[in-house]
Amino acid sequence: MSRLKLAVLGSGAGSNMQSIVDAIERGELDAEIALVVADFPDAKILDRGRKHGIESVYLDCAPYKTKLEGPAEDKLVEMLKSRGVDTVVLAGFMRIVKPKLLAAFPNRVINIHPALLPAFPGVHSWTQALDYGCKVAGVTVHFVDAGTDSGPIIVQKCVKVEEDDTPETLHARIQVQEHIAYPEALRIIASGDYTIEGRRVRIGKAS
Ligand code: GAR
């Protein structure tokens, strides 16, 4: 067991960050959030972080629109290292992260994706699942690798698709499961009781 020192990166509302804060405050996750980072200056995730007394900063990721690379990536890695962060949590961070960040935190960058991967990587996954006619949808928490939404899976949760679901109602129910799944995945990482064997994360098998 080790107390995690987290940085949470997001682009929007920050409800997943909130679920992690809540789990910590309830004593259900042995972690601290050292830093919150957003790529939009008015992202609500920054307000949430500040409300909880967490250093919360805007990172200008120009000139790129969809990836984190170049000067912003350099600056982020420096910020994370200087604060002693050991685990980087992507919580609605809508950019592709690149090898420099991944190399600085090997197997320590985690992402949440609103689909049962490997189905529906990318954006608006809940709409993709609905349009495809899926009867179940869900959420995946996974280690980040060099691909898009492709790293080893830590936790998945299913959500039944209802006949009258809209993208909004389905996403709302997926989010309820996200808020359970992310603290659960981080508890596994904090426990240290797992091994990564190829694509498989074996939990409770560390010797
Ligand atoms: C969540 O549904 C998360 O799964 C999704 O963005 C939302 C962020 O919500 N992430 C992705 O789509 C990543 N490809 P939040 O800001 O309230 O945590």
Side-chain angles (χ1 to χ4, degrees), residues 15-20 23 26 111-116 126 136-142 154-162 165 168-187:
S15 70
N16 278 288
M17 197 272 300
Q18 188 70 54
S19 75
I20 296 165
R26 283 198 299 264
N111 183 45
I112 190 157
H113 183 75
L116 294 173
W126 56 90
V136 289
V139 54
T140 303
V141 183
H142 64 95
I154 309 166
V155 168
Q156 287 187 307
K157 304 262 175 218
C158 292
V159 172
K160 185 172 180 292
V161 178
E162 302 293 349
D165 259 330
E168 291 73 29
T169 59
L170 181 56
H171 187 217
R173 287 204 317 290
I174 289 172
Q175 285 226 285
V176 171
Q177 294 304 313
E178 290 185 355
H179 301 158
I180 298 167
Y182 228 154
E184 189 176 316
L186 291 171
R187 270 194 299 276

Side-chain angles (χ1 to χ4, degrees), residues 57-199:
V57 300
Y58 161 59
L59 182 69
D60 181 356
C61 295
Y64 306 110
K65 293 209 182 319
T66 58
K67 62 181 179 178
L68 175 66
E69 203 170 22
E73 187 185 37
D74 295 344
K75 186 174 171 190
L76 179 67
V77 169
E78 190 189 301
M79 277 195 291
L80 299 176
K81 291 291 181 191
S82 71
R83 281 141 184 97
V85 165
D86 54 49
T87 308
V88 181
V89 173
L90 308 184
F93 188 62
M94 302 310 278
R95 287 176 183 270
I96 306 290
V97 297
K98 301 303 263 185
K100 178 166 183 178
L101 177 68
L102 296 177
F105 295 91
N107 288 331
R108 282 285 178 166
V109 183
I110 321 294
N111 183 45
I112 190 157
H113 183 75
L116 294 173
L117 291 170
F120 312 126
V123 295
H124 301 303
S125 308
W126 56 90
T127 306
Q128 294 186 54
L130 209 51
D131 290 349
Y132 196 88
C134 292
K135 301 300 186 192
V136 289
V139 54
T140 303
V141 183
H142 64 95
F143 291 104
V144 178
D145 65 10
T148 302
D149 301 324
S150 59
I153 291 168
I154 309 166
V155 168
Q156 287 187 307
K157 304 262 175 218
C158 292
V159 172
K160 185 172 180 292
V161 178
E162 302 293 349
E163 292 303 322
D164 58 354
D165 259 330
T166 64
E168 291 73 29
T169 59
L170 181 56
H171 187 217
R173 287 204 317 290
I174 289 172
Q175 285 226 285
V176 171
Q177 294 304 313
E178 290 185 355
H179 301 158
I180 298 167
Y182 228 154
E184 189 176 316
L186 291 171
R187 270 194 299 276
I188 291 167
I189 292 171
S191 77
D193 192 15
Y194 64 93
T195 54
I196 305 173
E197 297 168 21
R199 289 213 45 84

